[in-house]
Amino acid sequence: MNKRIVLLGLALLLAAGMVLVGGCQGKGGQAREASNVINIGFAQCKADESDWRMANTRSMLNTFNRPGYRLVLSDSNNDAAKQVADVQGFIDQEFDYIVIAAVNMDGWDTVLRNAKNAKIPVILVDRNINAPEDLYTCYVGPDFKVEGKKATDWMEKHFAGKPVNVVNLQGQLGAGAQVGRTAALQDAVTKNGWTLLAQQTGNWSTVEAKNIMTSWIQQFGDRINCVYAENDNMADGAIQALREAGKNVGGKDGVAIISFDANRPYLQMTLEGLINCNVECNPLHGPKVLEIIQMIESGKQPQKVMIVEEEAFYYDTITQAIIDARQY
Ligand code: AHR
């Protein structure tokens, strides 16, 4: 409970727009010569949008809260245009590095070209984007379509040829995570002849997902036998709606629940059988970003694309020991 209060406090601070961690004050470039501090601008989506995002924010803040580094986090409140402006602000202030967890895949060419012209390395974390590869230094994060395939592979086994009538709670439209996970479901629906009853964005939010799921239950009733929720918070909202409607959720015979992120509280729900399949999306990017910056500082060039290893957890094989050993 304490951690969540601390995180909430942090999230409130972040919601105010900026959080400064690490070394001294001062502008980017000039501060570097004077104090030999590496100035990093981190353009975050929306720091308190989900359990996953709070873990991701915490990883970055904790990693760079050390001598020799100054990390300034800008919170775009999931507004793609504001995030691009935040990045331009880091360029104008001559930051040494810019790290971006992109709200949307599109709209990056101009500002990334400005960063390139200013000779500021750009490191993409978490979310992939649609932009020429020469406009950013590297991408470190998941392959979201592979994450989705892990979930649909489980669905194929679970339903074993029986009819699937699935509803899809999508992430914020245009986000790399949403595009990849939705594409995997679409491929599986086409391949298996499943019925996609409905599809709508819940914007990663528990409340939005619960409201959407409530209306789908009224519309489709017991036809729904699978919910494909593109993150834990939305899966939780869907489960709340189903349980309030008296539906049997999860387990062997209930409405099958697919989720992504595998935050610890939702792995607990997987162990309880409420979530059937939970695909990990690792938020702990801080150490990887530090490693990349240190590599660049020593004159080495990082790989262009670094896909992080991720696994999936299932209601009938997960254990408390697995959950207890998790970092987030
Ligand atoms: O990009 C990762 C996604 O962003 C997570 O699955 C979701 O919870 C977050 O909002």
Side-chain angles (χ1 to χ4, degrees):
M1 189 49 186
N2 291 340
K3 184 190 284 188
R4 288 193 64 80
I5 292 171
V6 169
L7 276 177
L8 203 57
L10 171 64
L12 290 172
L13 259 179
L14 292 171
M18 294 280 193
V19 167
L20 198 61
V21 289
C24 68
Q25 304 281 337
K27 282 177 70 70
Q30 293 89 326
R32 183 70 175 278
E33 284 75 62
S35 62
N36 200 22
V37 167
I38 297 176
N39 297 281
I40 303 154
F42 176 35
Q44 178 60 293
C45 298
K46 182 177 190 295
D48 64 347
E49 139 234 273
S50 60
D51 292 61
W52 189 97
R53 192 60 54 190
M54 286 194 273
N56 179 248
T57 300
R58 196 170 59 239
S59 173
M60 287 293 289
L61 295 182
N62 291 346
T63 299
F64 289 98
N65 188 19
R66 64 179 63 201
Y69 294 89
R70 168 180 171 266
L71 182 128
V72 172
L73 186 150
S74 67
D75 187 326
S76 78
N77 199 31
N78 272 342
D79 175 333
K82 179 184 181 303
Q83 190 174 51
V84 170
D86 289 345
V87 171
Q88 187 56 53
F90 291 139
I91 297 167
D92 297 343
Q93 296 170 69
E94 300 174 5
F95 274 70
D96 300 301
Y97 291 87
I98 294 173
V99 181
I100 304 172
V103 171
N104 197 294
M105 294 182 78
D106 299 318
W108 289 104
D109 289 26
T110 303
V111 75
L112 292 185
R113 196 162 287 112
N114 294 344
K116 184 174 183 178
N117 294 339
K119 297 187 175 29
I120 300 175
V122 172
I123 299 166
L124 304 179
V125 292
D126 167 27
R127 301 279 184 76
N128 52 317
I129 65 172
N130 293 321
E133 277 196 0
D134 68 299
L135 294 184
Y136 56 87
T137 304
C138 60
Y139 165 75
V140 55
D143 180 323
F144 293 110
K145 197 168 181 181
V146 165
E147 288 181 357
K149 179 81 170 48
K150 286 176 182 166
T152 58
D153 285 350
W154 179 86
M155 290 165 69
E156 287 177 358
K157 283 196 210 84
H158 179 73
F159 288 99
K162 293 199 296 287
V164 176
N165 300 313
V166 58
V167 290
N168 174 204
L169 288 162
Q170 296 175 289
Q172 182 173 356
L173 298 181
Q178 176 273 312
V179 171
R181 292 168 186 165
T182 297
L185 176 63
Q186 201 57 64
D187 287 354
V189 165
T190 305
K191 171 191 165 192
N192 297 290
W194 295 340
T195 302
L196 180 56
L197 290 172
Q199 193 172 46
Q200 187 175 339
T201 182
N203 286 310
W204 311 119
S205 151
T206 301
V207 172
E208 282 192 49
K210 181 176 179 181
N211 292 336
I212 293 166
M213 192 69 215
T214 300
S215 67
W216 284 345
I217 292 166
Q218 287 157 359
Q219 193 177 351
F220 302 109
D222 291 332
R223 280 187 69 198
I224 300 170
N225 61 8
C226 185
V227 178
Y228 184 97
E230 294 178 4
N231 86 328
D232 280 336
N233 298 73
M234 294 192 291
D236 190 14
I239 290 166
Q240 290 177 33
L242 286 161
R243 299 183 88 180
E244 285 176 14
K247 304 298 180 189
N248 178 14
V249 179
K252 195 168 174 305
D253 308 313
V255 176
I257 307 293
I258 304 292
S259 186
F260 295 85
D261 287 351
N263 292 288
R264 190 181 283 120
Y266 305 91
L267 286 181
Q268 213 59 53
M269 291 170 71
T270 307
L271 182 64
E272 291 158 22
L274 288 172
I275 294 174
N276 292 84
C277 167
N278 200 333
V279 180
E280 178 185 22
C281 180
N282 189 328
L284 307 181
H285 297 133
K288 193 71 193 160
V289 173
L290 175 63
E291 186 189 318
I292 290 167
I293 289 174
Q294 290 172 336
M295 187 185 278
I296 295 171
E297 288 293 302
S298 61
K300 297 195 189 84
Q301 192 59 27
Q303 261 175 270
K304 179 59 81 173
V305 176
M306 285 163 267
I307 299 296
V308 294
E309 281 300 309
E310 296 174 329
E311 54 183 312
F313 303 92
Y314 310 98
Y315 78 103
D316 52 355
T317 55
I318 193 169
T319 65
Q320 191 61 55
I322 290 171
I323 297 171
D324 295 346
R326 302 276 299 160
Q327 288 187 69
Y328 63 92

